[in-house]
């Protein structure tokens, strides 16, 4: 089955799709990473009713509801599917659980035996496991306002692999970096497997009704070293190269697919390489990058997204106003999607989100 990106009703007029097609809008359209989340009381109510976090992700009724909540409250121009990057290793057969107050926990993949067990899971079974996610996408497209872009997503292979190997997120990703040092071929094999599964996963999201997708390389700032004696650099080998294969594979089946890549922690140089080396339509920009300097290094047609520090949103007031203004100045006349430089945090006051949008749209 094939799909055409942005083929839904009203797609041509969706502001974020217009920007992803290279149009500079003023003011730029907006959404927030983790916009459906714990800072909203209505989310917390549904989360309590759902039970476990994975039950929330896999229940289309609950997942649809929490995805729609920030659209109803704030009128963001994009809605992003409520799910988690770790549903992919869960579908592969790895035990995944979320511990309250601590985050995700997986049974670590320590070596070849664990990898061989994971790859025995056939692709049809994997996609059957993820079927509730695709049902949620379909429901969202039917229920969202016609002008609202629906974003799907997944984690990039390196980021997902780091959780699979380490069993949890760690500041320096030492378990995954250690595996790369002692058995780089095994890490390559795991990343190849994730490229294939994640490509299929995003294609299915497009087929279900997603207008565009974002690939989250949340751990681009902690890549392993390239093995001694081998050429190339870490960002290309472990991150941008695998993402490029995903982008190519998606577009082979979804002509015109619009894809955002967020390589958090890759620095100014890394961000400047994203579009050229992956084929992405838009570069997600973390809060640590000088957005004006990045725009100076990018072709005018390349879309940028993000850059507002989540802590500035927590601070609010004049500091928030100034930060919004600085982003608008840095991206004036270029295609940009307003967003944070990382996900919104649970302690963010709702009035600060309202102030941010009023300043942006004012």
């Amino acid at each position: 089955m094939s799909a055409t990106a942005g083929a839904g009703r009203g797609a041509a007029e969706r502001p974020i799709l217009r920007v992803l097609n290279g149009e500079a809008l003023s003011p730029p359209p907006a959404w927030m990473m983790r916009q459906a989340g714990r800072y909203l009381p209505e989310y917390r109510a549904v989360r309590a009713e759902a039970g476990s976090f994975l039950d929330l992700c896999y229940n289309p009724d609950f997942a649809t509801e929490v995805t729609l909540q920030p659209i109803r409250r704030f009128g963001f121009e994009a809605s992003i599917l409520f799910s988690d990057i770790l549903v992919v290793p869960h579908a592969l057969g790895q035990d995944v659980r979320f511990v309250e107050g601590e985050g995700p926990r997986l049974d670590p993949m320590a070596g070849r035996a664990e990898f061989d067990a994971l790859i025995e899971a056939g692709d049809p079974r994997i996609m059957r496991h993820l079927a509730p996610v695709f049902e949620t996408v379909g429901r969202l497209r039917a229920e969202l306002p016609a002008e609202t872009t629906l974003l799907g997503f997944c984690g990039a292979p390196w980021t997902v692999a780091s959780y699979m190997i380490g069993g949890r997120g760690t500041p320096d990703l030492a378990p995954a970096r250690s595996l790369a040092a002692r058995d780089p071929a095994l890490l390559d094999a795991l990343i190849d497997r994730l490229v294939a599964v994640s490509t299929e996963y995003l294609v299915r999201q497009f087929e279900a009704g997603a207008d565009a997708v974002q690939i989250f390389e949340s751990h681009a700032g902690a890549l392993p070293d390239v093995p001694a004696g081998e050429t190339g650099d870490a960002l290309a080998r472990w991150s941008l190269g695998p993402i490029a294969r995903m982008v190519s594979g998606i577009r082979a089946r979804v002509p015109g697919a619009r894809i955002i890549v967020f390589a958090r922690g890759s620095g100014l140089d890394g961000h400047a390489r994203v579009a050229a080396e992956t084929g992405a339509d838009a570069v997600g920009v973390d809060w640590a990058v000088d957005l004006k300097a990045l725009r100076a290094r990018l072709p005018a047609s390349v879309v940028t997204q993000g850059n507002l520090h989540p802590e500035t949103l927590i601070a609010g007031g004049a500091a928030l106003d100034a930060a919004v203004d600085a982003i608008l100045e840095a991206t004036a006349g270029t295609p940009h999607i307003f967003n944070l430089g990382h996900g919104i945090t649970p302690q963010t006051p709702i009035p600060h989100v309202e102030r941010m949008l009023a300043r942006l749209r004012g």
Side-chain angles (χ1 to χ4, degrees), residues 124-148:
R125 190 195 67 79
I126 294 167
M127 294 304 140
R128 284 197 300 271
H129 180 99
L130 296 168
V133 177
F134 309 136
E135 181 179 342
T136 299
V137 173
R139 289 195 191 185
L140 286 167
R141 187 63 277 165
E143 295 189 33
L144 282 167
E147 68 274 11
T148 306

Side-chain angles (χ1 to χ4, degrees), residues 13 21 37 51 73 97 121 164 188 222 231 274 313 340 344 360:
E13 295 305 313
N21 285 330
R73 184 184 277 271
R97 56 213 176 270
M164 295 177 72
D188 282 337
T231 59
V274 165
L313 186 57
L340 306 183
I344 186 171
L360 174 68

Side-chain angles (χ1 to χ4, degrees), residues 151-211:
L151 299 173
F153 77 93
C154 75
W158 157 246
T159 290
V160 175
S162 71
Y163 281 102
M164 295 177 72
I165 296 162
R168 60 187 295 177
T170 60
D172 58 359
L173 305 187
R177 292 165 60 88
S178 175
L179 178 65
R182 71 176 185 270
D183 194 348
L186 178 55
L187 179 58
D188 282 337
L190 177 58
I191 283 180
D192 288 346
R193 178 65 169 148
L194 289 169
V195 166
V197 172
S198 301
T199 298
E200 180 68 21
Y201 181 44
L202 292 184
V203 167
R204 299 288 186 103
Q205 290 183 40
F206 273 114
E207 291 175 346
D211 295 308

Side-chain angles (χ1 to χ4, degrees), residues 23 29 41 43 73 111 139-140 161 192 213 224 233 253 290 293-294 343:
E23 188 175 348
Y43 169 86
R73 184 184 277 271
R139 289 195 191 185
L140 286 167
D192 288 346
V213 296
D233 66 273
R253 295 174 57 189
D290 183 325
L294 176 63

Side-chain angles (χ1 to χ4, degrees), residues 32-35 216 262 264 310 339-346 348:
M32 295 191 304
M33 289 181 280
R34 294 184 188 157
Q35 65 188 25
F216 284 86
F262 179 52
R264 177 174 172 251
N339 204 323
L340 306 183
H342 194 35
I344 186 171
T345 56
T348 304

